[in-house]
Amino acid sequence: MDKGIMQSSIELRRKRGILAVIGGTFAIFLPGSLVFGFPGLMGPVWREMLSIESGALSYIMFFMLASLGIFMFFVGKWTASVGAKKLIIIGTVLTSLATFMIAFVSNFLMIYLWAFSVGAASCFIYSPGINCVQRWHPNRRGLVSGIVNLTFGISAAIMVPIYRIMLELVGYQALCLGISVITLVVGLIAAQYTEIPEKVKGIAVNTTNSPKVPQSTHGSMTPKEAMKTRNFWLLWAVWALMGASGVSMVTMSVNFGMSKGFNLATAATILTAYNLTNGISRILSGAISDIIGRKITLGITFVGAAIAYILLPFADSLLTISILAAFVGFGYGTLFAVSAPMISDCFGLKHFGVILGLVFTAYGFIASIIGPAVSGYLLELTNGNYQIVFYYLSAFAIISAALIMMVVTPKKAYSGEC
């Protein structure tokens, strides 16, 4: 009887683990399209609607990332006590309300409020989702976090062309209201299948779908202990620098294309290419990193992004620009996909959400300033000289590649030394 109960529990865990991945991907899909696609596509639209300078729009990503820096830590801390499902529901409702509000935009402050709200909402969905799938699949942490990250990044590549067509067909306000409703419906349904194992009845916490569990919460570092290690600060610096380098392309891609003489519809192709690899890299890099190692995967893609930035100012054809933007997107997506399992490799899973939130403060408070904000300022200062800005962002990617190679990861999953 005990054997039958155990097999039943294992089977239930397997099914719930699959549903957790599916729920996490659907929950983050539309919010991801708003984070990585909406600011770039709507930037020129908002500039024309409100007659504001492009410099003011460069702060959109600052407010979005600043909210990440604030909320990612708290959401990571709340996941264990509140549960992933409730947090994802909160994030879904917040995303829907913010997008409903922006349908009636009348000044640039409303755009900043939307950006801050959507950034905060993404924390309530992304962090619990990543935490959840890693706990359900401890042997495939790189792969499952890569799947959720894939959806987060690639959603904009899929939805930006759709948003652009809808913008032309139904207009700006109807587009925003439609996104608000669809986001709410999809997110609430998806959230029902996302929960960490500890909060699901009938699931043995120490039961896994594999006889070997390379990672457990036993012996995991506390946030205070993690912050005393060199690894933590190296990862923090990488998120500040590579985060700034990668995310800046979100707001610059369409404007750069238009500076080359392309219209909005054509220039949006560059953003789509960036987001396509931003998404694809999140599953490819996550799975590859499980095989060849996190550091090598991160380092190679960071160097690729740096070279792409160096070459971008000299590219004139849409195809060449799109390919180079795609390299930047690949490096940026890899940062998301591989850093999460790398953090749990180094510090364990028990306090993963909190430690991830602490690392994300670099992305929220530093990358948002030295990336999109400073890039926008430099463009204004130099009359739109993208060469200076791209070289500046390239340097961040190169430094990040060097820093990530200095991280000392354990030969096995967390062993207590990192």
Side-chain angles (χ1 to χ4, degrees), residues 52-391:
I52 56 179
E53 297 295 328
S54 58
L57 292 173
S58 67
Y59 290 98
I60 294 174
M61 294 308 296
F62 166 76
F63 284 98
M64 188 174 286
L65 298 185
S67 65
L68 289 175
I70 295 171
F71 287 99
M72 190 67 79
F73 167 78
F74 292 106
V75 172
K77 192 173 183 179
W78 294 333
T79 300
S81 57
V82 177
K85 184 171 80 170
K86 291 180 181 178
L87 293 175
I88 289 173
I89 289 174
I90 292 171
T92 296
V93 173
L94 185 56
T95 303
S96 178
L97 290 175
T99 309
F100 181 87
M101 179 269 295
I102 203 65
F104 305 96
V105 64
S106 59
N107 56 69
F108 67 90
L109 293 178
M110 290 181 69
I111 299 175
Y112 294 162
L113 177 59
W114 170 84
F116 187 88
S117 300
V118 169
S122 68
C123 293
F124 281 87
I125 302 172
Y126 175 79
S127 178
I130 292 292
N131 197 339
C132 175
V133 297
Q134 287 196 95
R135 286 177 180 270
W136 281 108
H137 302 275
N139 296 316
R140 299 180 178 88
R141 287 175 292 114
L143 177 60
V144 294
S145 64
I147 291 172
V148 176
N149 269 300
L150 164 68
T151 311
F152 192 34
I154 207 171
S155 57
I158 296 170
M159 295 307 298
V160 163
I162 296 174
Y163 290 157
R164 181 181 59 78
I165 294 171
M166 289 178 65
L167 181 65
E168 295 174 355
L169 293 178
V170 303
Y172 171 78
Q173 191 172 83
L175 169 63
C176 293
L177 293 175
I179 295 171
S180 174
V181 172
I182 296 172
T183 298
L184 184 64
V185 173
V186 173
L188 290 180
I189 294 174
Q192 305 309 308
Y193 302 97
T194 57
E195 191 54 276
I196 57 177
E198 292 86 343
K199 289 190 172 291
V200 178
K201 292 182 179 180
I203 297 295
V205 176
N206 62 348
T207 302
T208 67
N209 45 10
S210 174
K212 287 187 177 181
V213 183
Q215 173 89 26
S216 73
T217 60
H218 178 70
S220 296
M221 284 189 182
T222 65
K224 186 176 181 180
E225 290 170 340
M227 291 180 68
K228 292 180 180 179
T229 66
R230 186 182 70 161
N231 277 351
F232 176 88
W233 294 107
L234 286 171
L235 288 166
W236 192 92
V238 167
W239 267 99
L241 297 175
M242 188 59 204
S245 180
V247 79
S248 296
M249 184 59 72
V250 173
T251 52
M252 289 196 304
S253 55
V254 175
N255 286 324
F256 176 64
M258 294 178 75
S259 75
K260 290 288 188 176
F262 303 115
N263 59 31
L264 175 62
T266 305
T269 303
I270 303 169
L271 178 60
T272 299
Y274 163 84
N275 279 311
L276 185 64
T277 53
N278 178 20
I280 291 174
S281 65
R282 295 178 185 228
I283 188 167
L284 287 180
S285 299
I288 291 171
S289 73
D290 283 337
I291 301 171
I292 69 171
R294 319 288 189 206
K295 293 194 295 185
I296 295 176
T297 305
L298 288 163
I300 290 174
T301 56
F302 291 174
V303 171
I307 294 172
Y309 265 131
I310 292 171
L311 297 177
L312 262 171
F314 307 101
D316 292 313
S317 73
L318 180 65
L319 177 62
T320 303
I321 294 173
S322 297
I323 290 173
L324 293 174
F327 271 95
V328 176
F330 200 96
Y332 181 59
T334 300
L335 173 67
F336 274 82
V338 181
S339 290
M342 192 176 204
I343 289 171
S344 58
D345 282 346
C346 287
F347 311 117
L349 274 174
K350 185 175 182 180
H351 303 286
F352 167 79
V354 177
I355 296 172
L356 177 65
L358 289 170
V359 172
F360 251 76
T361 59
Y363 184 56
F365 298 123
I366 307 301
S368 59
I369 297 173
I370 65 177
V374 172
S375 295
Y377 176 74
L378 288 174
L379 285 173
E380 282 191 355
L381 199 65
T382 61
N383 273 335
N385 188 334
Y386 280 93
Q387 183 172 0
I388 293 175
V389 175
F390 287 162
Y391 283 3

